[in-house]
Amino acid sequence: MATPEALDGIHKNPAVRVTLPSGDTVWLVTGYDAVKRLLSDPRVRKDRKNPEDARLSRDNDMLQDPRASLDPPRHPVIRRLIVKAFTPARVKQLRQPTEELVEELLDNTESSGSPADLHETLNFPLTIRTLSTLLGVPPEDHIKFGTWVDKFFSITPGNPEEIAIARGELWTYIEHLVDARRKNPRDDLISALIQARDEDDSRLTEYELAWWSQGVLLGGYETTANHLGAGIITLLTNPDQLNLLRADPSMTSQAVEELLRIQMVFSSLASLRYANEEIEIDGVVIPKGAGVIPAMESANRDGKFFPDPEKFDIRRDGSHRHLAFGSGPHHCIGAALARMELQTAIGALLRRFPTLQLAVNPADLRRSEGSFMEGFRQVPVKW
């Protein structure tokens, strides 16, 4: 977390020193131009190669794994393979099933009665069941999967043994899933990755196959669910924008982009990188070997690119330029899927519940703590 002095300096300097949950210090880079440049800068790496490199957490290495590279030359090869399997056609095929799933979940929400927690009745069931279809994960596994993910993304001091057990169970689950799809291929992403790996053994090792399958699962579950929850809350606490969208549902896609811009829920801590050489950011010199975080949250509220950046406005021009999905070689592979889920769920929710409102005072809403996910703990609504 940033020190008070750093928070004050964030609005005055392009790069400031901040302290991570581990106690290590790194550079936080702010401003749209600087952040976007850094996200594509070949002088920085994502792999933590040296023992002295800054760590996010002392109890949890998360996605830091020396056997699965996130840097060139290996990462671009693997990414091209995953993108090839994660085709727009596969996402397009999911739209109708997603629409049907949303209607089913909203039917259940309505029948259970008001009030309801949309995290329980819509957001998380939607994302895990959509992923189940895409990746071939049995939907009955979503409860234990959610528990594993919560532990996986923990960044506050806690019980290292619990984290290790959860990560081990998740890894074992993925290995079994890959093995099952190898024996019984289906029309899903993991089967496509297996096929690509088996066609050219040099392209993807067995370990990389399991690791990247796990990464897709992790990236597409909690992130989209929390974006959806935060988006719903943002709309319900901005009645003027809510009324605009209700009056013109064709603005749903545009509204989703503005929601992504103003309400990021996946912390930029996940974008921790390391300088391979000295880097100058608008007059500030970041030394070689230093940790550096491109703050997408700050970039998305840069007044030079987004006039009146703190204002939520679904009519905003250029909201597509936001960095909620990152940029450059690590741009989110699942961005198209996430957009489709958000557009489908928000459009159907507002159509089905014309009197929807928060069931609590907005001041009583609480965000998750101790995780990359900074979404709300609950989305309590009534109608």
Side-chain angles (χ1 to χ4, degrees):
M1 60 181 292
T3 64
E5 293 79 9
L7 288 172
D8 181 59
I10 281 174
H11 301 291
K12 302 176 182 177
N13 302 290
V16 296
R17 296 295 297 275
V18 296
T19 302
L20 297 174
S22 63
D24 295 332
T25 57
V26 298
W27 291 87
L28 183 74
V29 175
T30 64
Y32 189 94
D33 268 342
V35 168
K36 191 166 185 180
R37 289 199 308 268
L38 190 63
L39 289 170
S40 299
D41 197 322
R43 297 173 296 175
V44 297
R45 56 181 163 83
K46 289 207 73 175
D47 292 338
R48 185 167 62 83
K49 299 178 179 179
N50 306 316
E52 63 270 21
D53 284 340
R55 299 175 60 175
L56 288 171
S57 167
R58 291 294 169 186
D59 295 332
N60 192 348
D61 285 334
M62 293 185 223
L63 296 175
Q64 296 287 1
D65 189 331
R67 291 171 290 180
S69 178
L70 294 170
D71 290 324
R74 190 62 180 156
H75 176 261
V77 173
I78 297 174
R79 183 179 173 87
R80 284 195 297 270
L81 182 61
I82 297 174
V83 168
K84 184 178 179 180
F86 208 107
T87 61
R90 182 169 275 118
V91 174
K92 185 177 181 180
Q93 290 172 356
L94 284 170
R95 180 171 286 276
Q96 182 176 345
T98 301
E99 291 173 349
E100 294 171 354
L101 173 57
V102 167
E103 293 299 330
E104 174 192 331
L105 295 172
L106 292 180
D107 284 343
N108 295 339
T109 300
E110 187 171 17
S111 64
S112 296
S114 175
D117 176 9
L118 290 181
H119 263 344
E120 292 186 0
T121 65
L122 174 65
N123 306 340
F124 282 92
L126 169 63
T127 56
I128 189 56
R129 288 176 62 178
T130 301
L131 278 173
S132 296
T133 302
L134 177 69
L135 294 154
V137 179
E140 63 269 16
D141 290 341
H142 75 273
I143 295 178
K144 58 184 178 183
F145 179 67
T147 301
W148 291 331
V149 172
D150 288 343
K151 295 292 184 183
F152 193 99
F153 285 130
S154 174
I155 59 176
T156 56
N159 189 331
E161 292 183 1
E162 288 185 5
I163 294 173
I165 290 172
R167 292 180 65 180
E169 290 176 345
L170 175 59
W171 182 258
T172 299
Y173 175 86
I174 295 296
E175 286 187 316
H176 289 166
L177 184 61
V178 170
D179 185 59
R181 291 297 169 266
R182 188 182 302 285
K183 295 175 181 177
N184 182 25
R186 298 181 182 177
D187 183 21
D188 57 44
L189 181 61
I190 290 180
S191 297
L193 289 175
I194 290 170
Q195 180 181 3
R197 187 262 177 187
D198 289 346
E199 287 175 352
D200 185 351
D201 243 23
S202 66
R203 296 293 300 277
L204 199 64
T205 68
E206 194 73 13
Y207 187 86
E208 288 171 333
L209 173 59
W211 195 89
W212 284 98
S213 296
Q214 173 184 265
V216 172
L217 284 165
L218 292 168
Y221 174 47
E222 280 206 42
T223 309
T224 304
N226 278 296
H227 267 306
L228 179 53
I232 293 168
I233 288 173
T234 301
L235 282 167
L236 295 181
T237 52
N238 288 271
D240 59 329
Q241 300 300 302
L242 177 62
N243 291 336
L244 280 174
L245 187 54
R246 287 194 186 280
D248 186 2
S250 69
M251 297 180 69
T252 300
S253 176
Q254 188 173 337
V256 164
E257 297 307 312
E258 175 68 350
L259 288 167
L260 287 165
R261 180 194 73 84
I262 203 167
Q263 191 65 269
M264 278 191 65
V265 299
F266 192 68
S267 172
S268 287
L269 287 176
S271 297
L272 174 63
R273 288 159 165 75
Y274 305 95
N276 279 332
E277 57 185 88
E278 184 178 278
I279 299 174
E280 181 178 335
I281 304 289
D282 297 337
V284 177
V285 176
I286 296 176
K288 179 180 179 179
V292 56
I293 295 175
M296 275 85 81
E297 300 96 331
S298 168
N300 282 352
R301 297 183 181 229
D302 187 338
K304 295 179 182 178
F305 284 82
F306 304 101
D308 199 3
E310 300 301 320
K311 181 181 180 180
F312 171 55
D313 185 358
I314 65 173
R315 297 164 297 184
R316 183 183 298 276
D317 292 332
S319 60
H320 62 280
R321 298 181 302 174
H322 66 73
L323 300 178
F325 293 115
S327 184
H330 295 284
H331 180 267
C332 178
I333 292 173
L337 177 62
R339 284 186 164 102
M340 184 270 286
E341 291 178 275
L342 294 169
Q343 293 164 9
T344 301
I346 289 174
L349 180 68
L350 297 186
R351 172 177 51 80
R352 290 282 301 270
F353 297 91
T355 62
L356 192 73
Q357 58 185 298
L358 284 177
V360 300
N361 188 312
D364 294 331
L365 293 169
R366 295 290 178 267
R367 288 187 178 270
S368 301
E369 297 177 352
S371 170
F372 277 149
M373 301 301 167
E374 298 172 345
F376 293 91
R377 297 179 186 176
Q378 295 179 315
V379 185
V381 296
K382 60 184 179 179
W383 58 91

